[in-house]
Amino acid sequence: MEAPKSTLPYPPIHDKSKVVVLSDWDGTITLTDTNDYLTDNLGFGFEKRRALNLEVLAGRMSFRDAFREMLESINIPFDECIRLLKQNIKIDPSFREFYEWCKTHDVPLVIVSSGMEPIIRAVFESTVGVESSEVDIICNSVKVNENGKFEILFRHPESGYGHDKSQAILPYRSLPHKPILFFFGDGVSDLSAAQHADVLFAKDKPDGENDFAAYCTKMGIKHLTFKHFHEALPIVASVVEGTATVEDVLKASPI
């Protein structure tokens, strides 16, 4: 299958690394999905948003079209969206420790998101307390009109995913040494990545919206569930340090 054309550039891949961590942002690193927060509170609300997510999970609607519909229901200026998100969004309290561990051990951490770059960078800096330029962020973009109204600019507009996250993973599969790849996700925006990493971590969230784990179970894809990054860190560390193999850690998969 031909790769979808990207309208946005990619950062260079980490072709010298033995292990690479790739993670979704919204609902995985953040405790609340920023786009869900905007849709639920300032758009058409939780019930319609959740119904669209379930349509995507059932294969009756593309994520791209559902996501666009959610964002089009938000009627406040883009800069106000960013202000509200910086005030209200929190991250997994153990993510900063995980991020620092990766940095100390020369393990690249790449954020792969279906969100919009200005929002991710603003919230990353306000929550993690690190300049967003220090981390690779592969995501969608945004067009903001003079009146502040915005529209998402998809990385892969011809793909039903809008942003096909597998395209951030597959280049590593072409490298001679094929690094071990970890991917962290939580929801329907992560489905395109599910079959391409060595170890998948699926977020187990208290609100029960565990669509990524449900998809992996339905498709028979081995994965590990986690509530917080401090639970995943010893597993990643064991592989990096050579005390466990990918096969060893996947024995804990629920399928």
Side-chain angles (χ1 to χ4, degrees):
M1 183 181 295
E2 186 177 352
K5 182 179 178 181
S6 178
T7 60
L8 301 167
Y10 279 89
I13 64 171
H14 299 276
D15 57 359
K16 305 300 182 187
S17 299
K18 295 181 179 179
V19 176
V20 179
V21 172
L22 304 103
S23 179
D24 173 54
W25 170 251
D26 283 297
T28 301
I29 295 173
T30 67
L31 297 180
T32 304
D33 185 303
T34 59
N35 305 294
D36 290 355
Y37 178 89
L38 293 173
T39 304
D40 293 355
N41 292 284
L42 302 165
F44 52 46
F46 167 79
E47 290 187 3
K48 187 169 182 180
R49 191 265 300 168
R50 187 63 187 141
L52 288 177
N53 280 344
L54 294 176
E55 287 293 291
V56 175
L57 195 59
R60 293 188 291 266
M61 190 175 191
S62 73
F63 174 78
R64 177 198 60 203
D65 293 345
F67 193 36
R68 181 188 286 120
E69 193 172 330
M70 294 174 198
L71 296 178
E72 286 177 347
S73 75
I74 301 162
N75 289 306
I76 69 167
F78 190 68
D79 58 356
E80 181 67 4
C81 291
I82 290 180
R83 186 187 69 81
L84 289 170
L85 292 171
K86 288 170 69 175
Q87 285 182 345
N88 292 283
I89 297 300
K90 293 179 171 47
I91 60 167
D92 181 324
S94 59
F95 174 73
R96 178 64 187 265
E97 176 191 4
F98 184 87
Y99 170 83
E100 294 292 351
W101 184 92
C102 288
K103 191 173 180 180
T104 300
H105 291 79
D106 294 321
V107 175
L109 190 153
V110 182
I111 293 175
V112 186
S113 172
S114 289
M116 295 167 281
E117 185 171 0
I119 287 179
I120 298 169
R121 291 194 180 280
V123 177
F124 182 92
E125 292 181 0
S126 68
T127 55
V128 183
V130 174
E131 290 291 328
S132 63
S133 59
E134 292 191 16
V135 62
D136 289 338
I137 300 176
I138 303 172
C139 58
N140 293 313
S141 189
V142 64
K143 177 183 177 182
V144 183
N145 300 318
E146 289 183 5
N147 62 1
K149 182 71 175 175
F150 65 94
E151 59 181 290
I152 188 167
L153 298 178
F154 287 110
R155 175 174 288 274
H156 301 123
E158 297 176 0
S159 166
Y161 295 113
H163 175 194
D164 184 343
K165 295 185 179 183
S166 71
Q167 300 304 305
I169 299 174
L170 289 174
Y172 289 99
R173 294 302 186 208
S174 301
L175 294 174
H177 69 282
K178 293 183 174 51
I180 295 171
L181 304 175
F182 291 90
F183 183 85
F184 291 77
D186 76 303
V188 291
S189 74
D190 300 310
L191 305 188
S192 59
Q195 306 204 35
H196 302 290
D198 295 293
V199 180
L200 294 174
F201 284 92
K203 193 77 175 279
D204 180 5
K205 301 192 292 187
D207 62 11
E209 292 188 39
N210 299 316
D211 296 339
F212 190 48
Y215 176 81
C216 290
T217 299
K218 176 183 175 182
M219 301 302 293
I221 301 170
K222 289 186 178 295
H223 62 283
L224 305 176
T225 58
F226 76 111
K227 289 183 172 67
H228 299 287
F229 274 86
H230 70 79
E231 299 168 356
L233 179 52
I235 299 171
V236 174
S238 69
V239 175
V240 171
E241 295 164 1
T243 60
T245 65
V246 167
E247 291 73 19
D248 290 335
V249 301
L250 285 179
K251 290 176 182 177
S253 172
I255 60 170

PDB file of all heavy atoms in Angstrom, residues 219-244:
ATOM      1  N   MET A 219      -8.520  -7.006  17.861  1.00  0.00           N
ATOM      2  CA  MET A 219      -7.702  -7.407  16.717  1.00  0.00           C
ATOM      3  C   MET A 219      -6.643  -8.453  17.076  1.00  0.00           C
ATOM      4  O   MET A 219      -5.873  -8.874  16.221  1.00  0.00           O
ATOM      5  CB  MET A 219      -7.012  -6.174  16.121  1.00  0.00           C
ATOM      6  CG  MET A 219      -7.974  -5.098  15.641  1.00  0.00           C
ATOM      7  SD  MET A 219      -9.156  -5.689  14.394  1.00  0.00           S
ATOM      8  CE  MET A 219      -8.046  -6.013  13.022  1.00  0.00           C
ATOM      9  N   GLY A 220      -6.589  -8.850  18.341  1.00  0.00           N
ATOM     10  CA  GLY A 220      -5.622  -9.860  18.763  1.00  0.00           C
ATOM     11  C   GLY A 220      -4.193  -9.359  18.796  1.00  0.00           C
ATOM     12  O   GLY A 220      -3.254 -10.133  18.564  1.00  0.00           O
ATOM     13  N   ILE A 221      -4.016  -8.065  19.077  1.00  0.00           N
ATOM     14  CA  ILE A 221      -2.681  -7.463  19.115  1.00  0.00           C
ATOM     15  C   ILE A 221      -2.177  -7.430  20.547  1.00  0.00           C
ATOM     16  O   ILE A 221      -2.850  -6.878  21.437  1.00  0.00           O
ATOM     17  CB  ILE A 221      -2.710  -6.027  18.531  1.00  0.00           C
ATOM     18  CG1 ILE A 221      -3.213  -6.054  17.092  1.00  0.00           C
ATOM     19  CG2 ILE A 221      -1.329  -5.391  18.618  1.00  0.00           C
ATOM     20  CD1 ILE A 221      -3.509  -4.679  16.524  1.00  0.00           C
ATOM     21  N   LYS A 222      -1.028  -8.026  20.798  1.00  0.00           N
ATOM     22  CA  LYS A 222      -0.479  -8.037  22.151  1.00  0.00           C
ATOM     23  C   LYS A 222      -0.182  -6.614  22.610  1.00  0.00           C
ATOM     24  O   LYS A 222       0.351  -5.794  21.858  1.00  0.00           O
ATOM     25  CB  LYS A 222       0.793  -8.889  22.213  1.00  0.00           C
ATOM     26  CG  LYS A 222       0.537 -10.385  22.079  1.00  0.00           C
ATOM     27  CD  LYS A 222       1.797 -11.170  22.292  1.00  0.00           C
ATOM     28  CE  LYS A 222       1.539 -12.671  22.200  1.00  0.00           C
ATOM     29  NZ  LYS A 222       0.655 -13.144  23.285  1.00  0.00           N
ATOM     30  N   HIS A 223      -0.506  -6.330  23.855  1.00  0.00           N
ATOM     31  CA  HIS A 223      -0.292  -5.002  24.418  1.00  0.00           C
ATOM     32  C   HIS A 223      -0.241  -5.092  25.933  1.00  0.00           C
ATOM     33  O   HIS A 223      -0.681  -6.080  26.526  1.00  0.00           O
ATOM     34  CB  HIS A 223      -1.420  -4.051  23.999  1.00  0.00           C
ATOM     35  CG  HIS A 223      -2.778  -4.474  24.500  1.00  0.00           C
ATOM     36  ND1 HIS A 223      -3.497  -5.508  23.914  1.00  0.00           N
ATOM     37  CD2 HIS A 223      -3.543  -4.034  25.538  1.00  0.00           C
ATOM     38  CE1 HIS A 223      -4.636  -5.669  24.552  1.00  0.00           C
ATOM     39  NE2 HIS A 223      -4.689  -4.803  25.554  1.00  0.00           N
ATOM     40  N   LEU A 224       0.312  -4.060  26.548  1.00  0.00           N
ATOM     41  CA  LEU A 224       0.356  -3.956  28.007  1.00  0.00           C
ATOM     42  C   LEU A 224      -0.485  -2.759  28.415  1.00  0.00           C
ATOM     43  O   LEU A 224      -0.436  -1.713  27.766  1.00  0.00           O
ATOM     44  CB  LEU A 224       1.801  -3.773  28.488  1.00  0.00           C
ATOM     45  CG  LEU A 224       2.804  -4.829  28.020  1.00  0.00           C
ATOM     46  CD1 LEU A 224       4.215  -4.454  28.501  1.00  0.00           C
ATOM     47  CD2 LEU A 224       2.425  -6.219  28.508  1.00  0.00           C
ATOM     48  N   THR A 225      -1.259  -2.905  29.468  1.00  0.00           N
ATOM     49  CA  THR A 225      -2.049  -1.774  29.944  1.00  0.00           C
ATOM     50  C   THR A 225      -1.298  -1.069  31.072  1.00  0.00           C
ATOM     51  O   THR A 225      -0.518  -1.684  31.802  1.00  0.00           O
ATOM     52  CB  THR A 225      -3.431  -2.223  30.448  1.00  0.00           C
ATOM     53  OG1 THR A 225      -3.278  -3.173  31.503  1.00  0.00           O
ATOM     54  CG2 THR A 225      -4.237  -2.851  29.319  1.00  0.00           C
ATOM     55  N   PHE A 226      -1.516   0.239  31.178  1.00  0.00           N
ATOM     56  CA  PHE A 226      -0.883   1.002  32.246  1.00  0.00           C
ATOM     57  C   PHE A 226      -1.781   2.174  32.614  1.00  0.00           C
ATOM     58  O   PHE A 226      -2.517   2.697  31.790  1.00  0.00           O
ATOM     59  CB  PHE A 226       0.500   1.509  31.802  1.00  0.00           C
ATOM     60  CG  PHE A 226       0.463   2.690  30.850  1.00  0.00           C
ATOM     61  CD1 PHE A 226       0.888   3.946  31.259  1.00  0.00           C
ATOM     62  CD2 PHE A 226      -0.007   2.548  29.543  1.00  0.00           C
ATOM     63  CE1 PHE A 226       0.850   5.028  30.389  1.00  0.00           C
ATOM     64  CE2 PHE A 226      -0.041   3.619  28.670  1.00  0.00           C
ATOM     65  CZ  PHE A 226       0.393   4.873  29.093  1.00  0.00           C
ATOM     66  N   LYS A 227      -1.723   2.539  33.877  1.00  0.00           N
ATOM     67  CA  LYS A 227      -2.482   3.700  34.345  1.00  0.00           C
ATOM     68  C   LYS A 227      -1.602   4.940  34.388  1.00  0.00           C
ATOM     69  O   LYS A 227      -2.075   6.051  34.117  1.00  0.00           O
ATOM     70  CB  LYS A 227      -3.069   3.428  35.732  1.00  0.00           C
ATOM     71  CG  LYS A 227      -4.203   2.417  35.765  1.00  0.00           C
ATOM     72  CD  LYS A 227      -4.759   2.298  37.187  1.00  0.00           C
ATOM     73  CE  LYS A 227      -6.029   1.445  37.204  1.00  0.00           C
ATOM     74  NZ  LYS A 227      -5.769   0.042  36.875  1.00  0.00           N
ATOM     75  N   HIS A 228      -0.333   4.759  34.759  1.00  0.00           N
ATOM     76  CA  HIS A 228       0.599   5.877  34.880  1.00  0.00           C
ATOM     77  C   HIS A 228       1.963   5.455  34.335  1.00  0.00           C
ATOM     78  O   HIS A 228       2.308   4.266  34.327  1.00  0.00           O
ATOM     79  CB  HIS A 228       0.727   6.320  36.345  1.00  0.00           C
ATOM     80  CG  HIS A 228      -0.557   6.791  36.936  1.00  0.00           C
ATOM     81  ND1 HIS A 228      -1.139   7.989  36.610  1.00  0.00           N
ATOM     82  CD2 HIS A 228      -1.393   6.206  37.829  1.00  0.00           C
ATOM     83  CE1 HIS A 228      -2.260   8.146  37.273  1.00  0.00           C
ATOM     84  NE2 HIS A 228      -2.443   7.071  38.007  1.00  0.00           N
ATOM     85  N   PHE A 229       2.752   6.431  33.928  1.00  0.00           N
ATOM     86  CA  PHE A 229       4.048   6.134  33.316  1.00  0.00           C
ATOM     87  C   PHE A 229       5.022   5.474  34.288  1.00  0.00           C
ATOM     88  O   PHE A 229       5.934   4.763  33.848  1.00  0.00           O
ATOM     89  CB  PHE A 229       4.651   7.410  32.726  1.00  0.00           C
ATOM     90  CG  PHE A 229       4.178   7.694  31.329  1.00  0.00           C
ATOM     91  CD1 PHE A 229       2.999   8.390  31.110  1.00  0.00           C
ATOM     92  CD2 PHE A 229       4.890   7.248  30.226  1.00  0.00           C
ATOM     93  CE1 PHE A 229       2.545   8.648  29.822  1.00  0.00           C
ATOM     94  CE2 PHE A 229       4.451   7.481  28.931  1.00  0.00           C
ATOM     95  CZ  PHE A 229       3.267   8.186  28.726  1.00  0.00           C
ATOM     96  N   HIS A 230       4.845   5.675  35.590  1.00  0.00           N
ATOM     97  CA  HIS A 230       5.771   5.022  36.529  1.00  0.00           C
ATOM     98  C   HIS A 230       5.603   3.506  36.503  1.00  0.00           C
ATOM     99  O   HIS A 230       6.520   2.767  36.886  1.00  0.00           O
ATOM    100  CB  HIS A 230       5.601   5.577  37.949  1.00  0.00           C
ATOM    101  CG  HIS A 230       4.320   5.199  38.634  1.00  0.00           C
ATOM    102  ND1 HIS A 230       4.120   3.966  39.216  1.00  0.00           N
ATOM    103  CD2 HIS A 230       3.177   5.897  38.833  1.00  0.00           C
ATOM    104  CE1 HIS A 230       2.906   3.923  39.744  1.00  0.00           C
ATOM    105  NE2 HIS A 230       2.322   5.077  39.524  1.00  0.00           N
ATOM    106  N   GLU A 231       4.440   3.025  36.031  1.00  0.00           N
ATOM    107  CA  GLU A 231       4.248   1.582  35.887  1.00  0.00           C
ATOM    108  C   GLU A 231       4.980   1.050  34.649  1.00  0.00           C
ATOM    109  O   GLU A 231       5.430  -0.099  34.631  1.00  0.00           O
ATOM    110  CB  GLU A 231       2.755   1.265  35.772  1.00  0.00           C
ATOM    111  CG  GLU A 231       1.927   1.684  36.970  1.00  0.00           C
ATOM    112  CD  GLU A 231       0.436   1.629  36.704  1.00  0.00           C
ATOM    113  OE1 GLU A 231       0.023   1.331  35.565  1.00  0.00           O
ATOM    114  OE2 GLU A 231      -0.327   1.903  37.642  1.00  0.00           O
ATOM    115  N   ALA A 232       5.074   1.878  33.626  1.00  0.00           N
ATOM    116  CA  ALA A 232       5.728   1.459  32.386  1.00  0.00           C
ATOM    117  C   ALA A 232       7.247   1.569  32.460  1.00  0.00           C
ATOM    118  O   ALA A 232       7.964   0.821  31.791  1.00  0.00           O
ATOM    119  CB  ALA A 232       5.213   2.304  31.219  1.00  0.00           C
ATOM    120  N   LEU A 233       7.735   2.484  33.281  1.00  0.00           N
ATOM    121  CA  LEU A 233       9.172   2.754  33.311  1.00  0.00           C
ATOM    122  C   LEU A 233      10.022   1.517  33.616  1.00  0.00           C
ATOM    123  O   LEU A 233      11.004   1.256  32.900  1.00  0.00           O
ATOM    124  CB  LEU A 233       9.471   3.875  34.310  1.00  0.00           C
ATOM    125  CG  LEU A 233      10.946   4.265  34.474  1.00  0.00           C
ATOM    126  CD1 LEU A 233      11.591   4.567  33.126  1.00  0.00           C
ATOM    127  CD2 LEU A 233      11.079   5.466  35.408  1.00  0.00           C
ATOM    128  N   PRO A 234       9.707   0.710  34.628  1.00  0.00           N
ATOM    129  CA  PRO A 234      10.551  -0.475  34.881  1.00  0.00           C
ATOM    130  C   PRO A 234      10.555  -1.458  33.716  1.00  0.00           C
ATOM    131  O   PRO A 234      11.559  -2.150  33.493  1.00  0.00           O
ATOM    132  CB  PRO A 234       9.905  -1.109  36.127  1.00  0.00           C
ATOM    133  CG  PRO A 234       9.056  -0.060  36.730  1.00  0.00           C
ATOM    134  CD  PRO A 234       8.626   0.833  35.630  1.00  0.00           C
ATOM    135  N   ILE A 235       9.459  -1.516  32.977  1.00  0.00           N
ATOM    136  CA  ILE A 235       9.382  -2.432  31.835  1.00  0.00           C
ATOM    137  C   ILE A 235      10.288  -1.941  30.711  1.00  0.00           C
ATOM    138  O   ILE A 235      11.072  -2.713  30.135  1.00  0.00           O
ATOM    139  CB  ILE A 235       7.919  -2.561  31.361  1.00  0.00           C
ATOM    140  CG1 ILE A 235       7.054  -3.137  32.487  1.00  0.00           C
ATOM    141  CG2 ILE A 235       7.838  -3.426  30.108  1.00  0.00           C
ATOM    142  CD1 ILE A 235       5.560  -3.096  32.206  1.00  0.00           C
ATOM    143  N   VAL A 236      10.183  -0.650  30.405  1.00  0.00           N
ATOM    144  CA  VAL A 236      11.051  -0.067  29.379  1.00  0.00           C
ATOM    145  C   VAL A 236      12.510  -0.205  29.802  1.00  0.00           C
ATOM    146  O   VAL A 236      13.373  -0.600  29.004  1.00  0.00           O
ATOM    147  CB  VAL A 236      10.681   1.406  29.135  1.00  0.00           C
ATOM    148  CG1 VAL A 236      11.678   2.057  28.169  1.00  0.00           C
ATOM    149  CG2 VAL A 236       9.266   1.523  28.586  1.00  0.00           C
ATOM    150  N   ALA A 237      12.789   0.097  31.070  1.00  0.00           N
ATOM    151  CA  ALA A 237      14.164   0.030  31.569  1.00  0.00           C
ATOM    152  C   ALA A 237      14.725  -1.384  31.467  1.00  0.00           C
ATOM    153  O   ALA A 237      15.905  -1.568  31.136  1.00  0.00           O
ATOM    154  CB  ALA A 237      14.220   0.518  33.009  1.00  0.00           C
ATOM    155  N   SER A 238      13.915  -2.388  31.746  1.00  0.00           N
ATOM    156  CA  SER A 238      14.405  -3.766  31.701  1.00  0.00           C
ATOM    157  C   SER A 238      14.840  -4.157  30.286  1.00  0.00           C
ATOM    158  O   SER A 238      15.822  -4.886  30.113  1.00  0.00           O
ATOM    159  CB  SER A 238      13.325  -4.734  32.207  1.00  0.00           C
ATOM    160  OG  SER A 238      12.228  -4.816  31.302  1.00  0.00           O
ATOM    161  N   VAL A 239      14.133  -3.650  29.284  1.00  0.00           N
ATOM    162  CA  VAL A 239      14.512  -3.943  27.900  1.00  0.00           C
ATOM    163  C   VAL A 239      15.752  -3.145  27.513  1.00  0.00           C
ATOM    164  O   VAL A 239      16.684  -3.677  26.896  1.00  0.00           O
ATOM    165  CB  VAL A 239      13.337  -3.640  26.950  1.00  0.00           C
ATOM    166  CG1 VAL A 239      13.760  -3.816  25.496  1.00  0.00           C
ATOM    167  CG2 VAL A 239      12.146  -4.548  27.265  1.00  0.00           C
ATOM    168  N   VAL A 240      15.777  -1.874  27.891  1.00  0.00           N
ATOM    169  CA  VAL A 240      16.931  -1.034  27.574  1.00  0.00           C
ATOM    170  C   VAL A 240      18.192  -1.582  28.218  1.00  0.00           C
ATOM    171  O   VAL A 240      19.270  -1.609  27.603  1.00  0.00           O
ATOM    172  CB  VAL A 240      16.680   0.422  28.033  1.00  0.00           C
ATOM    173  CG1 VAL A 240      17.944   1.267  27.919  1.00  0.00           C
ATOM    174  CG2 VAL A 240      15.554   1.049  27.213  1.00  0.00           C
ATOM    175  N   GLU A 241      18.084  -2.043  29.452  1.00  0.00           N
ATOM    176  CA  GLU A 241      19.245  -2.533  30.193  1.00  0.00           C
ATOM    177  C   GLU A 241      19.587  -3.984  29.878  1.00  0.00           C
ATOM    178  O   GLU A 241      20.599  -4.503  30.382  1.00  0.00           O
ATOM    179  CB  GLU A 241      18.996  -2.350  31.692  1.00  0.00           C
ATOM    180  CG  GLU A 241      18.905  -0.868  32.081  1.00  0.00           C
ATOM    181  CD  GLU A 241      18.287  -0.639  33.456  1.00  0.00           C
ATOM    182  OE1 GLU A 241      17.943  -1.651  34.124  1.00  0.00           O
ATOM    183  OE2 GLU A 241      18.130   0.524  33.852  1.00  0.00           O
ATOM    184  N   GLY A 242      18.748  -4.661  29.109  1.00  0.00           N
ATOM    185  CA  GLY A 242      19.058  -6.019  28.680  1.00  0.00           C
ATOM    186  C   GLY A 242      18.699  -7.104  29.656  1.00  0.00           C
ATOM    187  O   GLY A 242      19.088  -8.263  29.476  1.00  0.00           O
ATOM    188  N   THR A 243      17.937  -6.788  30.689  1.00  0.00           N
ATOM    189  CA  THR A 243      17.525  -7.812  31.652  1.00  0.00           C
ATOM    190  C   THR A 243      16.244  -8.526  31.231  1.00  0.00           C
ATOM    191  O   THR A 243      15.843  -9.514  31.849  1.00  0.00           O
ATOM    192  CB  THR A 243      17.338  -7.208  33.052  1.00  0.00           C
ATOM    193  OG1 THR A 243      16.321  -6.194  32.992  1.00  0.00           O
ATOM    194  CG2 THR A 243      18.632  -6.581  33.546  1.00  0.00           C
ATOM    195  N   ALA A 244      15.586  -8.011  30.186  1.00  0.00           N
ATOM    196  CA  ALA A 244      14.384  -8.649  29.653  1.00  0.00           C
ATOM    197  C   ALA A 244      14.332  -8.391  28.150  1.00  0.00           C
ATOM    198  O   ALA A 244      14.874  -7.408  27.645  1.00  0.00           O
ATOM    199  CB  ALA A 244      13.126  -8.100  30.331  1.00  0.00           C
TER     200      ALA A 244
END
